[in-house]
Amino acid sequence: SQQGEEDPQALSIQEGENATMNCSYKTSINNLQWYRQNSGRGLVHLILIRSNEREKHSGRLRVTLDTSKKSSSLLITASRAADTASYFCATTPTGTASKLTFGTGTRLQVTL
Amino acid sequence: DTAVSQTPKYLVTQMGNDKSIKCEQNLGHDTMYWYKQDSKKFLKIMFSYNNKELIINETVPNRFSPKSPDKAHLNLHINSLELGDSAVYFCASSLGPRDAQYFGPGTRLTVL
């Protein structure tokens, strides 16, 4: 069954603006990961945040995790046209070893 | 230099045929996966192997059979193809079962 849901489903911003995407999930997790998928391409891993971590940074990306609310957010600062892609959160539920369960994705469009 | 590669990239075939998709990773990872992405971009895990041993086998018709000849390869064989099998199939690998996953470029399967 689907574990995560991203919000919004689609987001359109101008270059230079920040983009925030949210992810909610249903069960307790070992970790949560964010991936990017460009149209017609495979997924690219962005960030992994463990259940005992609250915030993580990587370049222009900032991920937060609130296990009490079962939610995570991905912030992309100073967005660029090249950031246009679909973004997925994925969780590894506790006790499920390698079973990564993906959300529905947020389609981000960054215009010039 | 491709980390996770899949062949073929596109596969168009008639209903009832048998086909295989091959996947290879040169990252030295122990764990490999097969995912199916449908037309709505929903990504669902099908199988996972760790050190050539099957560890995840989701509710997938037994027409789908994965084979892992060694840790670097995970092939997917599909018998008696049906229209509903049309999708993009992604192979992925990770260092271990709970680590970040690296995806191949995908194989777009179209069943006519």
Side-chain angles (χ1 to χ4, degrees):
Chain A
S1 63
Q2 197 171 310
Q3 163 76 318
E5 288 190 11
E6 281 91 334
D7 170 58
Q9 288 188 323
L11 181 60
S12 183
I13 59 173
Q14 291 194 315
E15 209 173 40
E17 293 180 335
N18 296 342
T20 300
M21 289 160 265
N22 301 297
C23 167
S24 60
Y25 56 92
K26 297 174 184 173
T27 64
S28 62
I29 59 172
N30 288 315
N31 63 54
L32 183 145
Q33 304 177 39
W34 283 91
Y35 288 81
R36 184 187 73 227
Q37 184 178 31
N38 290 79
S39 182
R41 307 287 290 274
L43 281 79
V44 174
H45 180 261
L46 297 176
I47 284 187
L48 182 153
I49 185 165
R50 302 194 188 283
S51 59
N52 61 353
E53 297 176 307
R54 292 296 166 257
E55 188 171 312
K56 212 162 181 182
H57 296 253
S58 176
R60 294 182 297 112
L61 306 181
R62 174 177 161 248
V63 167
T64 63
L65 178 64
D66 187 336
T67 52
S68 67
K69 294 181 179 178
K70 292 188 171 57
S71 67
S72 173
S73 68
L74 170 67
L75 169 67
I76 304 174
T77 59
S79 64
R80 305 167 182 167
D83 294 330
T84 294
S86 291
Y87 291 81
F88 294 88
C89 71
T91 54
T92 305
T94 305
T96 58
S98 61
K99 184 177 174 181
L100 197 61
T101 307
F102 282 82
T104 50
T106 292
R107 173 74 188 158
L108 174 66
Q109 178 78 40
V110 182
T111 56
L112 296 171
Chain B
D1 290 325
T2 305
V4 182
S5 59
Q6 294 177 229
T7 54
K9 190 170 172 61
Y10 299 97
L11 185 53
V12 181
T13 189
Q14 299 285 337
M15 257 174 37
N17 284 349
D18 303 337
K19 290 293 178 187
S20 291
I21 308 172
K22 295 186 177 182
C23 177
E24 177 181 1
Q25 54 95 3
N26 62 5
L27 297 167
H29 287 168
D30 285 343
T31 313
M32 295 186 73
Y33 314 80
W34 276 109
Y35 288 88
K36 178 180 180 180
Q37 188 173 43
D38 62 23
S39 57
K40 295 182 180 178
K41 304 298 183 189
F42 180 56
L43 200 68
K44 186 171 169 58
I45 190 163
M46 300 172 70
F47 303 103
S48 175
Y49 272 72
N50 188 51
N51 281 319
K52 294 172 51 182
E53 183 181 333
L54 181 67
I55 58 172
I56 289 178
N57 184 353
E58 286 296 280
T59 309
V60 176
N62 57 14
R63 297 182 294 105
F64 290 79
S65 53
K67 283 187 173 53
S68 182
D70 54 59
K71 283 200 315 183
H73 296 84
L74 181 60
N75 304 323
L76 183 64
H77 188 76
I78 315 170
N79 288 327
S80 304
L81 278 156
E82 300 177 356
L83 293 177
D85 297 332
S86 295
V88 181
Y89 292 84
F90 286 99
C91 175
S93 73
S94 63
L95 194 62
R98 293 198 178 100
D99 295 316
Q101 295 184 18
Y102 293 79
F103 281 74
T107 295
R108 182 172 292 276
L109 171 65
T110 303
V111 182
L112 303 174

